[in-house]
Amino acid sequence: MADGSPPPGADPVGPAPAVRPFLVTAGRVADTASGRTMPVETQVVATAAGLGALAGLSFEQHDIVAACRRPQSLAELAARLRLHLNVVRVLAEDLRAAGQLTVHVPDVAATHDASVLRRVIDGLRSIPDSRGVLRDTD
Amino acid sequence: MTPTEPLVHGAAAAQTAERPPLPVKMVIAGGFGVGKTTSVGSISEIEPLTTEASITEVAAGVDDLTHTPRKTTTTVAMDFGCLTIDPTLKLYLFGTPGQERFGFMWDDIVEGAVGGLVIVDTRRLDDCYAAVDYFEHKGIPFAVAINAFDGKVEHTLDEVRWALDVSEGVPLVVFDARERGSVRDALLVVLELALARTEG
Ligand SMILES: Nc1nc2c(ncn2[C@@H]2O[C@H](COP(=O)(O)OP(=O)(O)O)[C@@H](O)[C@H]2O)c(=O)[nH]1
Ligand SMILES: [Mg+2]
């Protein structure tokens, strides 16, 4: 910035994540079976077995499975549980291996498919200019 | 029977049968304070959330002892919002901070994105070079969105295009990050570009 002042609304970095999750994950990096890092939008859902085992799970694992009663993205989980994204990646992979979560890594071909893009375009077009006001269509 | 006996099974099984939607990802990039969080918040159906993610910075020069490029992992705040298109399809928006020396280490966040929007404040154009270069290098469809702070744009579109050195194929739009319709239309420009590529 020309005047050297801090930029407005500089991205806040929230409170430093607790050290504990890093101990929990022992510094591991989670990859999918194919060796690809799970994308941030990867969907995670609790299994019946996972919900059944809730009482026996440790803090972070418990919170993740509990939050995944409905499908969540990894990013959503990290934000809601205040965990570093990589911690959530590792824990989600562990929980998947234990049969407590299903992890749905998006298929790039599917998300880039023309018919999918058209549906996103149509869906986005139909949202109003401002909340609660319908947009004039042409 | 133990007091911790879980009360699950039938109901839980039904609950968890829910199929997750297909997540379509777009990335909103740009320097600090250009309006990324504001844009995500204008269009997202949830309050924008912030997640900490890691980026790897490759430092200029090499390590004195090992002669290998120095890599450092930095934690950055990543904004995040979403929009349900229908029960099977959900648009995810990620706002990534775009600092100078990122190199090509945004992959962890951007991989698989259908498109990008680079937000520019015309008073400090150079803040967005890294993002422009990144999307160009990766071949990710993107548009440049000029955030007209207080309705003012300091340069003409041609001047901005010249200064950023973006090709003719990259759309330039003027928008207001606070206006939902304006953010929607900017995202639509990117999606149309992505669609045209699949058909090209
Ligand atoms: N006047 C005006 N202010 C804006 C606009 N967009 C963002 N802002 C403000 O600029 C500041 C930085 O925006 P923010 O979205 O946090 O930027 P980020 O760092 O890119 O996420 C905030 O105080 C916003 O309210 C705009 O179009 N016009
Ligand atoms: Mg921000």
Side-chain angles (χ1 to χ4, degrees), chain B residues 44-144:
Chain B
S44 176
E45 67 198 11
I46 59 167
E47 278 294 313
L49 296 169
T50 300
T51 298
E52 291 183 327
S54 296
I55 52 155
T56 308
E57 281 187 297
V58 180
V62 295
D63 186 282
D64 293 340
L65 294 175
T66 62
H67 300 281
T68 52
R70 254 194 310 271
K71 286 187 180 180
T72 49
T73 301
T74 308
T75 291
V76 295
M78 175 182 76
D79 297 319
F80 148 82
C82 58
L83 192 65
T84 298
I85 302 295
D86 65 45
T88 63
L89 194 58
K90 200 165 169 181
L91 179 63
Y92 282 86
L93 299 169
F94 290 94
T96 64
Q99 291 314 88
E100 314 75 48
R101 297 177 299 109
F102 272 27
F104 302 113
M105 297 300 170
W106 278 350
D107 300 6
D108 191 33
I109 297 169
V110 176
E111 199 75 55
V114 299
L117 190 67
V118 177
I119 305 184
V120 173
D121 176 346
T122 55
R123 295 166 299 184
R124 34 201 183 94
L125 279 176
D126 47 345
D127 281 7
C128 71
Y129 291 147
V132 167
D133 285 350
Y134 180 84
F135 288 128
E136 276 187 339
H137 180 87
K138 284 275 159 178
I140 295 171
F142 74 102
V144 173

Side-chain angles (χ1 to χ4, degrees), chain A residues 25-114:
Chain A
T25 60
R28 285 174 297 147
V29 177
D31 291 318
T32 57
S34 66
R36 189 177 150 213
T37 303
M38 291 191 275
V40 290
E41 70 277 20
T42 297
Q43 300 286 305
V44 187
V45 195
T47 61
L51 292 174
L54 257 185
L57 292 175
S58 75
F59 299 107
E60 291 85 5
Q61 276 140 337
H62 175 278
D63 292 349
I64 289 175
V65 173
C68 291
R69 287 197 167 86
R70 315 213 51 187
Q72 305 280 316
S73 63
L74 292 176
E76 221 162 341
L77 278 175
R80 292 193 198 286
L81 304 179
R82 299 183 178 280
L83 293 171
H84 191 288
L85 192 57
N86 288 345
V87 171
V88 173
R89 281 191 171 115
V90 170
L91 295 177
E93 174 52 26
D94 285 352
L95 289 164
R96 186 204 60 75
Q100 289 160 347
L101 291 179
T102 55
V103 173
H104 304 254
V105 176
D107 172 16
V108 177
T111 57
H112 287 67
D113 181 74

Side-chain angles (χ1 to χ4, degrees), chain B residues 180-196:
Chain B
R180 195 185 201 195
S182 189
V183 176
R184 172 199 62 210
D185 292 346
L187 294 177
L188 281 168
V189 167
V190 178
L191 287 164
E192 295 283 2
L193 197 62
L195 179 61

Side-chain angles (χ1 to χ4, degrees), chain A residues 9-12, chain B residues 32-33 35-38 77 79 95:
Chain A
D11 285 51
Chain B
F32 283 132
K36 299 183 298 292
T37 307
T38 307
D79 297 319

Side-chain angles (χ1 to χ4, degrees), chain A residues 110-125:
Chain A
T111 57
H112 287 67
D113 181 74
S115 67
V116 167
L117 291 174
R118 270 194 214 96
R119 282 164 62 207
V120 177
I121 288 171
D122 290 344
L124 202 52
R125 277 210 184 110

